[in-house]
């Protein structure tokens, strides 16, 4: 199988390194010629160019540019694809991407590797990025089953744990555990920083230790990434933020009513719920049937 990769950055370059190590022939396209040369020098691709014609023989193409660049890359890519080629992407949101691509290329299935680092670009690419990380595929009712099977097989060769769900389910789950925490953490920093008494604010800055470091980390990260989450996952993020606001309102009411037993019970319940999110997950069961287009793990 010949695999194409568009966008030779952290994710695209790491995919290339991993797939070549598995024996796939990998061809790449990136915006800058210097990136293509670096990807070849690093062994992430067998060949790379800024011209999409290099992907004319690809059986499967991964779209790996920033989400905002996907429409432009798609326009350039489609005229070169062979009719049976399978297309997938790695974007961190799914519903808007699936809606934008599937009508133009029916042999498309959305995907999202839940793996990354704070660094970007081809220099940050490395082997093993996807190993033991969840990789979600989001087939719809119209996705051809052979496309799901082909991408699932390649994804499993990365050592990832494969899950399938609908694009909307994906976006709501990712909003809850990835996008909401960024904005909650940012609001935490902003509320500390809006302390009207300068002496208290200064003391807070001096007293802040490991707890504040943990809870403020994702809110103090890359603003462009946060904007991308809000812009491309607005509906699901809005839903999660409103649910969070409801919890805050509830806590304020309990506090004002001095309902200490209720607050303790609330914290007891959250302490019991947390391990289900942060404890190491067993890998999903191996496939027993065709991948479900509506949910479940493979
Ligand atoms: P990245 O390191 O910045 O890589 C993106 C690459 O795309 C850049 O190196 C750039 O290559 C290339 N590119 C930009 N515009 C392009 C265009 N118009 N045509 C062709 N190539 C173009 O970003 P990344 O972290 O790999 O993220 C890429 C995708 O993965 C995003 O859709 C993101 O949602 C998804 N994702 C990211 C993470 C994460 O943690 N980083 C995790 C999961 C999924 P040049 O150097 O040639 O300009």
């Amino acid at each position: 199988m010949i695999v194409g990769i568009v966008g030779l950055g952290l994710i695209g370059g790491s995919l290339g390194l991993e797939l070549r190590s598995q024996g796939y022939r990998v061809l790449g396209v990136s915006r800058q010629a210097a990136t293509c040369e670096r990807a070849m020098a690093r062994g992430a691709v067998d060949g790379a160019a800024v011209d999409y014609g290099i992907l004319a023989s690809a059986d499967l193409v991964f779209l790996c540019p920033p989400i905002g660049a996907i429409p432009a890359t798609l326009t350039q890519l489609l005229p070169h694809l062979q009719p049976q080629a399978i297309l997938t992407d790695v974007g961190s949101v799914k519903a808007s991407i699936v809606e934008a691509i599937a009508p133009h290329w029916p042999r498309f299935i959305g995907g999202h590797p839940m793996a990354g680092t704070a660094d970007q670009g081809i220099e940050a690419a490395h082997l093993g990025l996807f190993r033991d990380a969840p990789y979600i595929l989001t087939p719809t009712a119209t996705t051809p089953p052979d496309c799901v099977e082909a991408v699932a097989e390649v994804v499993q060769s990365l050592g990832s744990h494969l899950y399938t769900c609908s694009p909307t389910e994906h976006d709501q789950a990712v909003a809850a555990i990835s996008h909401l925490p960024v904005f909650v953490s940012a609001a935490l920093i902003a509320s500390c920083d809006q302390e009207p008494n300068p002496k208290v604010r200064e003391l807070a800055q001096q007293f802040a230790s490991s707890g504040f470091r943990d809870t403020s980390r994702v809110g103090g990260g890359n603003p462009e990434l946060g904007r991308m989450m809000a812009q491309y996952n607005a509906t699901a993020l809005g839903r999660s933020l409103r649910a969070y606001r409801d919890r805050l309102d509830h806590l304020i009411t309990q506090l004002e009513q001095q309902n200490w037993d209720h607050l303790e019970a609330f914290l007891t319940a959250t302490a019991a719920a947390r391990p289900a999110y942060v404890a190491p997950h067993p890998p999903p069961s191996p496939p027993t049937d065709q991948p479900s287009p509506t949910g479940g793990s493979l």
Side-chain angles (χ1 to χ4, degrees), residues 10-11 14 114-121 123-126 129 222 225:
L10 167 67
I11 300 292
S14 300
M114 296 286 296
T117 67
D119 300 319
Q120 292 186 303
E123 299 304 338
H126 60 276
L129 181 66
N222 183 346
L225 267 184

Side-chain angles (χ1 to χ4, degrees), residues 6-13 29-36 50 52 63-70 72-73 76 89-93 97 111-122 124 129-130 225 228:
V6 176
L8 297 168
L10 167 67
I11 300 292
V29 167
S30 213
R31 184 176 48 176
Q32 303 180 68
T35 302
C36 295
V50 294
Y52 284 75
L63 279 178
C64 308
I67 289 178
I70 285 182
T73 55
Q76 294 178 79
D89 78 302
V90 297
S92 314
V93 299
I97 292 179
H112 178 200
M114 296 286 296
T117 67
D119 300 319
Q120 292 186 303
I122 185 64
L129 181 66
F130 308 103
L225 267 184
M228 180 278 294

Side-chain angles (χ1 to χ4, degrees), residues 41 70 93 98 104 107 131 135 153 190 193 205 220 263 290:
I70 285 182
V93 299
V98 172
H104 301 286
R107 293 178 65 71
R131 222 161 284 158
Y135 197 121
E153 190 179 325
D193 217 42
Q205 289 166 349
L263 284 175
Q290 290 265 315

Side-chain angles (χ1 to χ4, degrees), residues 164-191:
T164 59
C165 62
S166 74
T168 306
E169 289 167 338
H170 167 277
D171 287 356
Q172 289 179 349
V174 169
I177 52 86
S178 177
H179 301 173
L180 175 66
V182 168
F183 287 89
V184 167
S185 175
L188 169 72
I189 299 169
S191 72

